[in-house]
Amino acid sequence: MRIPCPFCGSRDSREFVHRGDAAPIRPAGDDADAMFDYLYLRDNPAGQFEELWYHAQGCRNWLRVRRHTVSHAIESAEFARIGHAA
Amino acid sequence: MRYSILQLATQALRRHRDWTPAWRDAAPREGYDIVIVGGGGHGLAAAYYLAKVHGITRVAVVERGWIGGGNAGRNTTIIRSNYGLPGNEPFYEWAMKLWEGLEQDLNYNAMVSQRGVLNLYHSDAQRDAYARRGNAMRLHGVDAELLDADAVRQMAPFLDFDNARFPIQGGLLQARGGTARHDAVNWGYARAASALGVDIIQNCEVTGFLRDTSGAVVGVETSRGAIRAGKVGLAVAGMTGPVAAKAGLRLPIESHALQAFVSEGLKPLIPGVITFGAGHFYVSQSDKGGLVFGGDIDGYNSYAQRGNLPVVEDVCEGGMAVMPMIGRVRLLRSWGGIMDMSMDGSPIIDHTPIAGLYLNAGWCYGGFKATPASGWCFAHLLATDTAHETATAYRLDRFRTGHLIDEKGVGAQPNLH
């Protein structure tokens, strides 16, 4: 699999570290239900999926990648931002 | 038809003309007491034990593909009960006890072979951790033996004992562990369940759930029509996310691909199952002679039943590090299966928040060895609405309450379990 890094261009996926689902956003307060949801519950779709990758062996940017979990086709990759809406 | 040596001899004399299908390929009826979604080992075992132990025979197993076509035929066939945590060990030992009597019970040759499972250790700290795990096993009445390097050398002289980076200092042996023929386990459960009246319905994909006015699940919508049910049990590990989503459930599970490999056939070489303690690599030899081995999951969420090349390389590097002679062997096949990776690395056998819907999921790497006990405990839950005594820890709400069973201790990071 190759990931189109917006800074480095198309690079082999082994340069990257997979962080996981990009959808969960850490809740601001200490509400137990919200924290449980953030930590543990996942949509786990078989299809389009937004996830975070870290380009450890490249530009060391965090990327937000939109990938299909059945075909692995990557639709887009952009720099991740803190508080990025799902 | 009961299988026996006499039957085999008789059929051989009759040129094998009279063998009948092992199970009925049933068409869906209008309704059942219990419908189990997923015709893998766990679902079929649950159906079998529902009929045999609890006397409930109005049971259907609905399977999207065919029996033996999913993870039941994609794993590395290892059976063992060498767990350290109290929530896990009694359950896996119950599975091991069921494995030991499985073939007589099912009247089917599942090729259960207790050839031993050896976990190698490579440092003082790892020896201590293994000693602790072995002691935990023995406290649960399970066999475990801590071996030094000389004892391991006698069992497996071909290992790279003097590896400069990861010298082999010894291993933790569970002699009762071993392997079983994975798809025969499925076929055996299917045949035995079918003989007790269970309907096995293949090529029948669940597309939704029937709900009553209170929201309770009262059946399933399938590609072959609606089937009503008193209770519905999900045993669809790998596909739990998408199937549960049809009932509106979000779960502490991600799906990941795990690869397995088999080499060309060789003469008997490896005495049992051997696992590398410094990387992720485990190997055994099938009765046909192929070396069967595997390693880590691919690392990113996947529903593709195939794997990536970096992990192939990683597994082969692990093999070369512990067993250099494997470099002379040619790889015959590799394949991938989809794992339910739960957030603590342990499974779930529990009610769901939806009335009438029960969950068996989250098996991570460990589903195959659990098959008999998973079926037994799921049947117990479906029949009695209470958790079986060996599966009380596998609650769905443990993530909310903090009672995690994190055997590896890596936290809510499914791709690391």
Side-chain angles (χ1 to χ4, degrees):
Chain A
M1 189 163 74
R2 295 182 72 81
I3 296 174
C5 174
F7 189 82
C8 305
S10 172
R11 304 298 280 260
D12 192 305
S13 67
R14 77 182 83 188
E15 293 182 5
F16 298 78
V17 176
H18 185 249
R19 172 65 183 84
D21 196 338
I25 294 175
R26 190 182 174 93
D30 56 1
D31 179 61
D33 281 342
M35 193 55 87
F36 163 68
D37 193 294
Y38 162 73
L39 250 182
Y40 294 118
L41 297 186
R42 298 291 180 266
D43 290 331
N44 196 24
Q48 291 296 342
F49 181 58
E50 300 228 346
E51 60 193 349
L52 297 172
W53 291 80
Y54 176 56
H55 199 178
Q57 308 294 321
C59 59
R60 300 171 76 187
N61 274 305
W62 281 92
L63 305 183
R64 186 185 180 90
V65 176
R66 189 169 164 82
R67 178 177 61 90
H68 197 284
T69 56
V70 180
S71 69
H72 298 327
I74 293 175
E75 192 175 285
S76 64
E78 54 186 284
F79 296 124
R81 287 179 285 115
I82 291 171
H84 204 134
Chain B
M1 180 185 286
R2 192 172 166 79
Y3 295 156
S4 67
I5 189 100
L6 184 66
Q7 179 73 255
L8 184 62
T10 310
Q11 296 290 350
L13 289 172
R14 297 181 56 75
R15 299 185 184 179
H16 297 291
R17 279 177 305 204
D18 301 333
W19 292 112
T20 53
W23 66 83
R24 287 176 299 115
D25 187 21
R29 281 187 270 164
E30 195 178 312
Y32 295 88
D33 291 340
I34 294 174
V35 166
I36 293 172
V37 183
H42 293 218
L44 291 166
Y48 170 66
Y49 293 122
L50 275 171
K52 185 197 164 210
V53 180
H54 303 281
I56 302 172
T57 56
R58 275 174 38 91
V59 175
V61 176
V62 296
E63 163 60 40
R64 172 176 71 145
W66 68 95
I67 299 303
N71 287 343
R74 292 172 183 271
N75 57 73
T76 46
T77 80
I78 296 165
I79 60 174
R80 58 185 174 88
S81 59
N82 54 0
Y83 282 73
L85 295 181
N88 277 331
E89 185 58 8
F91 172 83
Y92 285 102
E93 177 56 16
W94 179 228
M96 187 53 96
K97 288 208 168 76
L98 290 169
W99 281 119
E100 287 173 330
L102 186 75
E103 293 160 315
Q104 290 71 27
D105 188 28
L106 299 181
N107 179 228
Y108 201 90
N109 182 9
M111 296 168 71
V112 175
S113 168
Q114 293 178 288
R115 53 185 73 180
V117 173
L118 178 66
N119 300 142
L120 300 173
Y121 60 79
H122 307 267
S123 67
D124 293 352
Q126 197 170 29
R127 178 199 58 213
D128 293 349
Y130 281 20
R132 181 173 183 267
R133 179 149 59 90
N135 288 339
M137 291 163 65
R138 292 166 78 126
L139 284 171
H140 282 103
V142 180
D143 69 305
E145 193 182 349
L146 197 68
L147 305 181
D148 61 13
D150 284 341
V152 172
R153 207 182 283 269
Q154 281 186 6
M155 284 179 65
F158 48 80
L159 299 175
D160 189 6
F161 286 86
D162 302 318
N163 185 297
R165 181 68 183 84
F166 304 116
I168 294 168
Q169 295 189 5
L172 181 67
L173 175 70
Q174 186 186 20
R176 286 165 63 241
T179 58
R181 169 77 193 268
H182 52 192
D183 33 20
V185 174
N186 242 33
W187 300 331
Y189 272 120
R191 173 171 170 271
S194 180
L196 292 175
V198 171
D199 277 0
I200 296 168
I201 304 162
Q202 303 178 86
N203 301 310
C204 182
E205 180 171 0
V206 167
T207 54
F209 293 90
L210 302 173
R211 312 286 283 264
D212 68 9
T213 48
S214 71
V217 166
V218 292
V220 289
E221 299 269 12
T222 76
S223 54
R224 297 176 68 176
I227 306 173
R228 299 192 73 79
K231 295 173 181 175
V232 174
L234 298 185
V236 291
M239 288 301 286
T240 302
V243 177
K246 296 183 202 301
L249 278 181
R250 288 175 80 226
L251 296 170
I253 287 172
E254 289 185 358
S255 295
H256 289 255
L258 176 63
Q259 301 188 65
F261 308 83
V262 65
S263 78
E264 59 188 331
L266 303 169
K267 288 181 179 176
L269 180 69
I270 295 181
V273 180
I274 296 174
T275 74
F276 182 33
H280 203 156
F281 175 82
Y282 44 93
V283 62
S284 63
Q285 189 168 19
S286 78
D287 290 343
K288 214 160 70 180
L291 303 186
V292 183
F293 54 96
D296 270 320
I297 52 176
D298 279 8
Y300 46 81
N301 302 49
S302 174
Y303 284 92
Q305 285 178 315
R306 61 177 188 279
N308 65 27
L309 286 170
V311 169
V312 176
E313 190 176 2
D314 182 68
V315 170
C316 292
E317 283 170 355
M320 288 300 290
V322 70
M323 198 175 124
M325 69 175 179
I326 205 171
R328 302 278 301 274
V329 174
R330 281 171 297 189
L331 196 64
L332 190 64
R333 287 185 291 126
S334 72
W335 62 93
I338 304 305
M339 313 290 108
D340 268 11
M341 298 305 294
S342 70
M343 288 289 176
D344 63 356
S346 296
I348 297 158
I349 304 176
D350 200 2
H351 301 86
T352 68
I354 302 169
L357 187 64
Y358 299 74
L359 184 64
N360 174 321
W363 289 97
C364 300
Y365 289 62
F368 178 68
K369 67 175 127 27
T371 302
S374 166
W376 187 286
C377 295
F378 200 36
H380 186 97
L381 176 73
L382 284 162
T384 68
D385 270 313
T386 56
H388 185 259
E389 59 181 3
T390 63
T392 52
Y394 296 150
R395 295 171 64 105
L396 177 56
D397 68 359
R398 69 177 185 266
F399 301 93
R400 187 185 287 275
T401 60
H403 294 82
L404 304 182
I405 316 166
D406 195 342
E407 191 84 32
K408 204 168 168 185
V410 296
Q413 195 63 22
N415 61 342
L416 298 183
H417 279 291

